[in-house]
Amino acid sequence: MNAHTPVLEAQAIAVTFGGLKAVDGISFTLKAGEIVGLIGPNGAGKTTLFNALVGLQRLTSGQVLLGGDKVSGLKPHRVAGKGMTKTFQNAALFPDMSVLENVLTAALLRHDLASARERAGAVLHRLGLGAIAQTDVADLTFPQKALVEMARALATEPKVLLLDEVMAALTPSEMDEVMAVIRSLRDEGLTFLVVEHHMRAIMALCDRLLVVNFGRLIAQGTPAEVANDPVVIEAYLGQGAAHGAATGAATGSTTVAGGAHA
Amino acid sequence: MRAKLTPGLVLLLLFFVAAALLPFYVDPRGHVLRIAAMALLFAALAQSWNIVGGLANQVSLGHAAFFGIGAYTSSLLYLRLGISPWLGLVAGAALAGLAAALLSLPTFRLKGHYFALATLAFAEVMRVIANSWASLTGGPVGVSIPFVGSQPLNFAFRAVSSYYWIILGLLALVCLVFGLLARGAIGYRLRAVRENEAAAEVAGVDTFRVKLTASVISAALTAVCGSVFAQFTFFFDPDSIFSLAGVSVRMAMIAIVGGLGTLAGPIIGALFLIPLEETANAFLSSKAAGLSQLVFGAILIAAILIQPRGIMAYWPKRWSRRAPSPAAPRAEPALAKGGQ
Ligand SMILES: Nc1ncnc2c1ncn2[C@@H]1O[C@H](COP(=O)(O)OP(=O)(O)OP(=O)(O)O)[C@@H](O)[C@H]1O
Ligand SMILES: [Mg+2]
């Protein structure tokens, strides 16, 4: 794979549930080291698209290439092995295990038990979760669960990580911490596709945005471009969220520009 | 892997020492030792079942199939070809493992009740085959192993205590296998499968392979128990060896009543249920037909209603918890403290 090959390429992905086209022919590419946001109203098909990418959801048509290799049709553990995994929107941790054991299980993908334990500890520490390593996941708060989700996904050592609303319940300062971690991981070469409803976070974090509605890709571009796209504003107007999107974009875009020159 | 000497492990070792000494304190030819041997054998069976039923939550109601495969393989090889049951036991284990692997192809896609029913059907099919393929199995009359006196190389002994110690050794082996699996990498993967299969896959666990491995090991150990059972009782027939209530459900029940997925659960369950069943039989079977089964069933239901997690649920959790990790660095951000 050379520098110009996209690390992830989705080609006309479609997923149909009965008569419902949850994902309706979506194509896009991710370049290595990009942080791309995937936004859209509730029920737009974001989670379904994630499931299709990682192999949890069978595609009705289309294909997925990871680093040039076809991964659509593979089981999720094979896709994880090739370097792509996701977090679950409604944290799907292993409830009878401790935080450390949850993360350790994922680290077993590439390590034996002893070094998986070390790797898991290191990942937890990096996400600021070291102090709760021995806690039962049943005792965690919702934001902690989302972060343990992220730690578990990171423990598979992915090249492409799909984050499904990991920041949903975080306070603004916690959100800043998580965004700093995501950026530093990106600096190490990770590529992110991020679903988030917090416009402030999305605008500040992402290099590029993909906007979906009713299973279709309706717009893409830089956060500033997308925020001013009439099609996007129209889509969000139906949700009564246009105001949030527009104001978020106004504050967020300056940050992105500042970051790009730094 | 370092096995820490937890209070539970110490108790377990004490149990094995006490059990090994039992034949010196009871009548070596008596009824008590036979019941004790049967309780240990069923503990081993329940522990074999626990590998899939407890660790992976694949509730099989057809493990009698593997039990019977073990019993028939070693017995027929011995009676027809004169092959020592010690070797026959290995052949039976291999055959049962193969059967489990083949069975897993269609059944692993099934969830919960459907999986249980499919395994149940498999054991029923085995029972029907054993009954009808008389030229191979001897049919409904069953299989009798002639008494040949003491021939240790042919798994034949005069004293009940010899069988008793072999069965105790078998239980130790099965417990060791369970312990190694539970604490090893596959143990984490099996628990992940049990708790959330989709999340396990996404986290890189090959859920099919993990379940397959556990099923094959579980089936092979169950078959070994079957071979040993055949040598110990000298006689079995298709309906008893492939019995749903007498074998498949009983192994599951012992593990569940003792504590699903725990190392000590099957032992505690067997030590509780088998003597209870024997007592119920001894005192009640003369009173009215089926009364002892009724009472036994009622006790089972009560036990499960009172504590669905089994007797092991009363074991203090802090005693089985692993030692905490070293103190976390202070410099961490606030996220770990949580709160909304
Ligand atoms: N397994 C399923 N079977 C049938 N329909 C489904 C299934 N999963 C999702 N859908 C439907 O597909 C559509 C897209 O759902 P999806 O969860 O992907 O949306 P989303 O963009 O993630 O929404 P949100 O922002 O609320 O998380 C919705 O109409 C949903 O009801
Ligand atoms: Mg969603």
Side-chain angles (χ1 to χ4, degrees), chain A residues 17 20 22 41-48 89 165 197:
Chain A
F17 296 120
L20 176 76
N42 290 111
K46 304 179 295 292
T47 297
T48 308
Q89 180 173 354
E165 300 199 32
H197 282 296

PDB file of all heavy atoms in Angstrom, chain A residues 17 20 22 41-48 89 165 197, ligand 1:
ATOM      1  N   PHE A  17     -33.115  -3.745   5.290  1.00  0.00           N
ATOM      2  CA  PHE A  17     -33.857  -4.548   6.284  1.00  0.00           C
ATOM      3  C   PHE A  17     -35.275  -4.694   5.769  1.00  0.00           C
ATOM      4  O   PHE A  17     -36.051  -3.741   5.838  1.00  0.00           O
ATOM      5  CB  PHE A  17     -33.891  -3.837   7.636  1.00  0.00           C
ATOM      6  CG  PHE A  17     -32.541  -3.670   8.279  1.00  0.00           C
ATOM      7  CD1 PHE A  17     -32.058  -2.401   8.570  1.00  0.00           C
ATOM      8  CD2 PHE A  17     -31.772  -4.768   8.624  1.00  0.00           C
ATOM      9  CE1 PHE A  17     -30.834  -2.239   9.182  1.00  0.00           C
ATOM     10  CE2 PHE A  17     -30.544  -4.608   9.238  1.00  0.00           C
ATOM     11  CZ  PHE A  17     -30.069  -3.346   9.518  1.00  0.00           C
ATOM     12  N   LEU A  20     -36.777  -1.654   4.134  1.00  0.00           N
ATOM     13  CA  LEU A  20     -36.117  -0.411   4.523  1.00  0.00           C
ATOM     14  C   LEU A  20     -34.670  -0.379   4.044  1.00  0.00           C
ATOM     15  O   LEU A  20     -33.871  -1.258   4.379  1.00  0.00           O
ATOM     16  CB  LEU A  20     -36.146  -0.273   6.053  1.00  0.00           C
ATOM     17  CG  LEU A  20     -35.405   0.924   6.626  1.00  0.00           C
ATOM     18  CD1 LEU A  20     -36.195   2.202   6.422  1.00  0.00           C
ATOM     19  CD2 LEU A  20     -35.102   0.706   8.095  1.00  0.00           C
ATOM     20  N   ALA A  22     -31.645   0.920   4.889  1.00  0.00           N
ATOM     21  CA  ALA A  22     -30.981   1.605   6.004  1.00  0.00           C
ATOM     22  C   ALA A  22     -29.695   2.270   5.520  1.00  0.00           C
ATOM     23  O   ALA A  22     -29.340   3.364   5.953  1.00  0.00           O
ATOM     24  CB  ALA A  22     -30.697   0.629   7.139  1.00  0.00           C
ATOM     25  N   PRO A  41     -28.957  12.818  10.995  1.00  0.00           N
ATOM     26  CA  PRO A  41     -30.022  12.752  12.005  1.00  0.00           C
ATOM     27  C   PRO A  41     -30.192  11.338  12.557  1.00  0.00           C
ATOM     28  O   PRO A  41     -29.661  10.371  11.990  1.00  0.00           O
ATOM     29  CB  PRO A  41     -31.274  13.173  11.225  1.00  0.00           C
ATOM     30  CG  PRO A  41     -30.796  13.803   9.971  1.00  0.00           C
ATOM     31  CD  PRO A  41     -29.450  13.240   9.681  1.00  0.00           C
ATOM     32  N   ASN A  42     -30.960  11.195  13.628  1.00  0.00           N
ATOM     33  CA  ASN A  42     -31.244   9.874  14.199  1.00  0.00           C
ATOM     34  C   ASN A  42     -31.882   8.977  13.151  1.00  0.00           C
ATOM     35  O   ASN A  42     -32.752   9.409  12.398  1.00  0.00           O
ATOM     36  CB  ASN A  42     -32.205   9.995  15.381  1.00  0.00           C
ATOM     37  CG  ASN A  42     -31.553  10.660  16.574  1.00  0.00           C
ATOM     38  OD1 ASN A  42     -31.894  11.780  16.928  1.00  0.00           O
ATOM     39  ND2 ASN A  42     -30.596   9.986  17.154  1.00  0.00           N
ATOM     40  N   GLY A  43     -31.414   7.729  13.103  1.00  0.00           N
ATOM     41  CA  GLY A  43     -31.985   6.782  12.155  1.00  0.00           C
ATOM     42  C   GLY A  43     -31.468   6.944  10.742  1.00  0.00           C
ATOM     43  O   GLY A  43     -31.971   6.312   9.814  1.00  0.00           O
ATOM     44  N   ALA A  44     -30.431   7.771  10.552  1.00  0.00           N
ATOM     45  CA  ALA A  44     -29.915   8.026   9.208  1.00  0.00           C
ATOM     46  C   ALA A  44     -29.196   6.811   8.628  1.00  0.00           C
ATOM     47  O   ALA A  44     -29.063   6.678   7.413  1.00  0.00           O
ATOM     48  CB  ALA A  44     -28.966   9.221   9.238  1.00  0.00           C
ATOM     49  N   GLY A  45     -28.717   5.913   9.517  1.00  0.00           N
ATOM     50  CA  GLY A  45     -28.028   4.721   9.033  1.00  0.00           C
ATOM     51  C   GLY A  45     -26.551   4.665   9.416  1.00  0.00           C
ATOM     52  O   GLY A  45     -25.814   3.838   8.887  1.00  0.00           O
ATOM     53  N   LYS A  46     -26.137   5.508  10.368  1.00  0.00           N
ATOM     54  CA  LYS A  46     -24.719   5.571  10.734  1.00  0.00           C
ATOM     55  C   LYS A  46     -24.241   4.279  11.388  1.00  0.00           C
ATOM     56  O   LYS A  46     -23.216   3.701  10.998  1.00  0.00           O
ATOM     57  CB  LYS A  46     -24.490   6.765  11.689  1.00  0.00           C
ATOM     58  CG  LYS A  46     -24.963   8.099  11.118  1.00  0.00           C
ATOM     59  CD  LYS A  46     -24.753   9.244  12.093  1.00  0.00           C
ATOM     60  CE  LYS A  46     -25.579   9.166  13.362  1.00  0.00           C
ATOM     61  NZ  LYS A  46     -27.033   9.356  13.147  1.00  0.00           N
ATOM     62  N   THR A  47     -25.006   3.821  12.385  1.00  0.00           N
ATOM     63  CA  THR A  47     -24.603   2.597  13.078  1.00  0.00           C
ATOM     64  C   THR A  47     -24.657   1.402  12.130  1.00  0.00           C
ATOM     65  O   THR A  47     -23.771   0.539  12.143  1.00  0.00           O
ATOM     66  CB  THR A  47     -25.501   2.368  14.313  1.00  0.00           C
ATOM     67  OG1 THR A  47     -25.307   3.457  15.211  1.00  0.00           O
ATOM     68  CG2 THR A  47     -25.181   1.061  15.013  1.00  0.00           C
ATOM     69  N   THR A  48     -25.673   1.371  11.283  1.00  0.00           N
ATOM     70  CA  THR A  48     -25.778   0.272  10.311  1.00  0.00           C
ATOM     71  C   THR A  48     -24.578   0.271   9.369  1.00  0.00           C
ATOM     72  O   THR A  48     -24.027  -0.786   9.046  1.00  0.00           O
ATOM     73  CB  THR A  48     -27.086   0.395   9.510  1.00  0.00           C
ATOM     74  OG1 THR A  48     -28.175   0.526  10.434  1.00  0.00           O
ATOM     75  CG2 THR A  48     -27.315  -0.816   8.632  1.00  0.00           C
ATOM     76  N   GLN A  89     -22.408   1.690  20.116  1.00  0.00           N
ATOM     77  CA  GLN A  89     -23.111   2.890  20.561  1.00  0.00           C
ATOM     78  C   GLN A  89     -23.701   2.693  21.956  1.00  0.00           C
ATOM     79  O   GLN A  89     -23.537   3.540  22.828  1.00  0.00           O
ATOM     80  CB  GLN A  89     -24.228   3.214  19.564  1.00  0.00           C
ATOM     81  CG  GLN A  89     -25.021   4.449  19.930  1.00  0.00           C
ATOM     82  CD  GLN A  89     -26.003   4.839  18.826  1.00  0.00           C
ATOM     83  OE1 GLN A  89     -26.012   4.255  17.746  1.00  0.00           O
ATOM     84  NE2 GLN A  89     -26.817   5.839  19.106  1.00  0.00           N
ATOM     85  N   GLU A 165     -20.318   7.348  18.860  1.00  0.00           N
ATOM     86  CA  GLU A 165     -20.793   8.175  19.975  1.00  0.00           C
ATOM     87  C   GLU A 165     -20.121   7.848  21.309  1.00  0.00           C
ATOM     88  O   GLU A 165     -20.789   7.662  22.325  1.00  0.00           O
ATOM     89  CB  GLU A 165     -22.322   8.059  20.119  1.00  0.00           C
ATOM     90  CG  GLU A 165     -23.046   8.526  18.865  1.00  0.00           C
ATOM     91  CD  GLU A 165     -24.517   8.850  19.127  1.00  0.00           C
ATOM     92  OE1 GLU A 165     -24.836   9.291  20.242  1.00  0.00           O
ATOM     93  OE2 GLU A 165     -25.321   8.691  18.203  1.00  0.00           O
ATOM     94  N   HIS A 197     -22.978  13.193  18.000  1.00  0.00           N
ATOM     95  CA  HIS A 197     -24.042  14.185  17.831  1.00  0.00           C
ATOM     96  C   HIS A 197     -23.622  15.559  18.351  1.00  0.00           C
ATOM     97  O   HIS A 197     -24.243  16.565  18.030  1.00  0.00           O
ATOM     98  CB  HIS A 197     -25.343  13.728  18.506  1.00  0.00           C
ATOM     99  CG  HIS A 197     -26.104  12.711  17.701  1.00  0.00           C
ATOM    100  ND1 HIS A 197     -26.626  13.013  16.464  1.00  0.00           N
ATOM    101  CD2 HIS A 197     -26.401  11.407  17.928  1.00  0.00           C
ATOM    102  CE1 HIS A 197     -27.226  11.930  15.977  1.00  0.00           C
ATOM    103  NE2 HIS A 197     -27.088  10.934  16.846  1.00  0.00           N
TER     104      HIS A 197
HETATM  105  N1  LIG C   1     -31.523  -4.855  12.730  1.00  0.00           N
HETATM  106  C1  LIG C   1     -32.380  -3.981  12.175  1.00  0.00           C
HETATM  107  N2  LIG C   1     -33.525  -4.418  11.623  1.00  0.00           N
HETATM  108  C2  LIG C   1     -34.398  -3.559  11.058  1.00  0.00           C
HETATM  109  N3  LIG C   1     -34.196  -2.248  10.969  1.00  0.00           N
HETATM  110  C3  LIG C   1     -33.082  -1.737  11.504  1.00  0.00           C
HETATM  111  C4  LIG C   1     -32.101  -2.575  12.141  1.00  0.00           C
HETATM  112  N4  LIG C   1     -31.082  -1.804  12.570  1.00  0.00           N
HETATM  113  C5  LIG C   1     -31.403  -0.539  12.231  1.00  0.00           C
HETATM  114  N5  LIG C   1     -32.590  -0.504  11.588  1.00  0.00           N
HETATM  115  C6  LIG C   1     -33.210   0.696  11.032  1.00  0.00           C
HETATM  116  O1  LIG C   1     -32.292   1.244  10.120  1.00  0.00           O
HETATM  117  C7  LIG C   1     -32.311   2.656  10.189  1.00  0.00           C
HETATM  118  C8  LIG C   1     -30.932   3.167  10.479  1.00  0.00           C
HETATM  119  O2  LIG C   1     -30.626   2.871  11.832  1.00  0.00           O
HETATM  120  P1  LIG C   1     -29.222   3.212  12.478  1.00  0.00           P
HETATM  121  O3  LIG C   1     -29.215   2.645  13.848  1.00  0.00           O
HETATM  122  O4  LIG C   1     -28.148   2.793  11.574  1.00  0.00           O
HETATM  123  O5  LIG C   1     -29.267   4.798  12.571  1.00  0.00           O
HETATM  124  P2  LIG C   1     -28.232   5.808  13.243  1.00  0.00           P
HETATM  125  O6  LIG C   1     -27.878   6.798  12.213  1.00  0.00           O
HETATM  126  O7  LIG C   1     -27.146   5.093  13.904  1.00  0.00           O
HETATM  127  O8  LIG C   1     -29.165   6.519  14.334  1.00  0.00           O
HETATM  128  P3  LIG C   1     -28.770   7.132  15.768  1.00  0.00           P
HETATM  129  O9  LIG C   1     -28.176   8.466  15.532  1.00  0.00           O
HETATM  130  O10 LIG C   1     -30.092   7.225  16.462  1.00  0.00           O
HETATM  131  O11 LIG C   1     -27.860   6.169  16.415  1.00  0.00           O
HETATM  132  C9  LIG C   1     -33.346   3.032  11.234  1.00  0.00           C
HETATM  133  O12 LIG C   1     -34.563   3.306  10.563  1.00  0.00           O
HETATM  134  C10 LIG C   1     -33.458   1.789  12.061  1.00  0.00           C
HETATM  135  O13 LIG C   1     -34.741   1.682  12.623  1.00  0.00           O
END
